[in-house]
Amino acid sequence: MPAPNDQPLVEFRNVDLMIKGQEIIKDLSFTFGAGEFVCVIGPSGCGKTTTLRLIAGLARPTGGSVFYAGEPVKGPRPDVAVVFQDYGKALLPWRTAAGNIQLVLDTFKVPRSEHRARIDALLAKVGLAGKNDAYPAEMSGGMQQRLQIARCLAQQPRLLLMDEPFGALDAMTRQALQDEMQSIVADTGTTVFFVTHDLEEAAYLGDRVIGLLPHPGRLGVDLGSTLPRPRDQLTTRETPGFLQMRHTLFNFIRGAEQ
Ligand SMILES: Nc1ncnc2c1ncn2[C@@H]1O[C@H](COP(=O)(O)OP(=O)(O)OP(=O)(O)O)[C@@H](O)[C@H]1O
Ligand SMILES: [Mg+2]
């Protein structure tokens, strides 16, 4: 028997998902542990979002099992938060930045007397210090995505599921947010499952990169990263380790799309 702290945080055991007679996911098995930053890549339609939804408890397997901390996933849970690509839809437009976060604090029954300090700290953590009274419509895309991340962190999740969270952002904002995620993970120890189309983003951020193959969605590669942390946008991307990971991922995608 493995010791309890060797138990994976998430385990897919021979997971199948059929929708209307179509195999979406086929015999998918992988695990990851607490504190890992796991990136997921694969061609469009290979099942990345579906895999994330299975972990979140928003979809159920039709075969096999998904486990969270050793228990079968039965539905959404308070210690698992989801950051979606579409920040525009994820935020409540009639609430300020502080108001959007406050909703989560209320849900988690944080005493009102602690709200101001918690909100200020969360906004500072994502680079939005002082933006308490701004409405989402007054914020840039990058700021809205930062707010969505702050709102998820208000939940103090053990696991953060992120579905192409920076896909709609320009390159500079994307890199800034990548580095903010790195420092948040370093500060909090949060486990991250991060879906991306961007192979360099996966190579830059991941402790692991899982590549899925399409039709049906199944495991293609599961690569450990040797890149040390903290990582740096300029120097890390120039190292042989980064270039080798990038090369392997490009070859994988090229093969997967043929
Ligand atoms: N509710 C559903 N009903 C029918 N088919 C579905 C449903 N959800 C997903 N699919 C199909 O499952 C497959 C995987 O979809 P999924 O959204 O997980 O892919 P993805 O890898 O996230 O793609 P993308 O990179 O485009 O976001 C696709 O072929 C999709 O059409
Ligand atoms: Mg998707």
Side-chain angles (χ1 to χ4, degrees):
M1 281 284 282
N5 57 357
D6 286 344
Q7 185 182 62
L9 184 61
V10 170
E11 179 178 1
F12 274 56
R13 203 179 289 168
N14 308 110
V15 170
D16 298 324
L17 180 63
M18 300 267 292
I19 300 179
K20 294 181 192 134
Q22 199 190 337
E23 274 182 326
I24 307 291
I25 301 280
K26 173 83 174 159
D27 197 25
L28 182 59
S29 296
F30 66 87
T31 66
F32 58 88
E36 275 195 278
F37 200 122
V38 181
C39 290
V40 182
I41 58 151
S44 188
C46 71
K48 301 181 294 297
T49 296
T50 305
T51 303
L52 181 145
R53 287 170 54 80
L54 285 161
I55 301 173
L58 299 170
R60 295 283 181 89
T62 48
S65 306
V66 181
F67 297 91
Y68 178 84
E71 300 287 328
V73 173
K74 295 201 180 80
R77 17 182 329 136
D79 57 347
V80 177
V82 187
V83 174
F84 296 99
Q85 173 168 5
D86 197 347
Y87 40 80
K89 286 192 187 139
L91 298 169
L92 296 177
W94 59 88
R95 282 185 165 248
T96 60
N100 268 281
I101 297 175
Q102 191 174 25
L103 208 59
V104 177
L105 298 178
D106 278 336
T107 305
F108 285 84
K109 310 233 174 339
V110 175
R112 281 277 166 124
S113 59
E114 293 174 22
H115 280 199
R116 183 61 202 247
R118 288 275 291 273
I119 288 168
D120 286 353
L122 284 162
L123 289 175
K125 201 186 275 288
V126 299
L128 289 178
K131 298 290 178 195
N132 302 52
D133 297 330
Y135 286 90
E138 298 166 347
M139 300 175 133
S140 67
M143 290 165 77
Q144 291 183 47
Q145 192 55 301
R146 286 187 166 94
L147 178 56
Q148 196 194 166
I149 292 168
R151 210 180 55 172
C152 285
L153 293 175
Q155 228 175 295
Q156 297 187 316
R158 197 167 166 204
L159 174 60
L160 196 52
L161 305 172
M162 306 182 85
D163 195 0
E164 303 200 39
F166 309 147
L169 304 173
D170 66 88
M172 290 309 288
T173 307
R174 174 184 275 246
Q175 291 198 351
L177 278 166
Q178 288 167 356
D179 288 342
E180 274 164 33
M181 277 315 299
Q182 281 204 83
S183 65
I184 287 165
V185 166
D187 284 356
T188 59
T190 309
T191 310
V192 183
F193 184 87
F194 188 104
V195 172
T196 179
H197 261 112
D198 180 341
L199 305 184
E200 294 192 9
E201 181 168 71
Y204 181 70
L205 285 174
D207 295 314
R208 294 248 305 278
V209 183
I210 290 176
L212 299 180
L213 290 165
H215 314 301
R218 61 204 192 279
L219 192 69
V221 287
D222 185 349
L223 302 161
S225 173
T226 55
L227 300 176
R229 292 190 189 276
R231 296 179 185 170
D232 177 86
Q233 292 290 355
L234 198 55
T235 54
T236 298
R237 289 172 187 266
E238 291 169 347
T239 59
F242 177 85
L243 295 173
Q244 192 184 344
M245 178 65 98
R246 178 180 178 274
H247 189 103
T248 306
L249 297 179
F250 269 87
N251 268 339
F252 168 72
I253 286 289
R254 214 159 28 190
E257 282 177 342
Q258 273 166 5

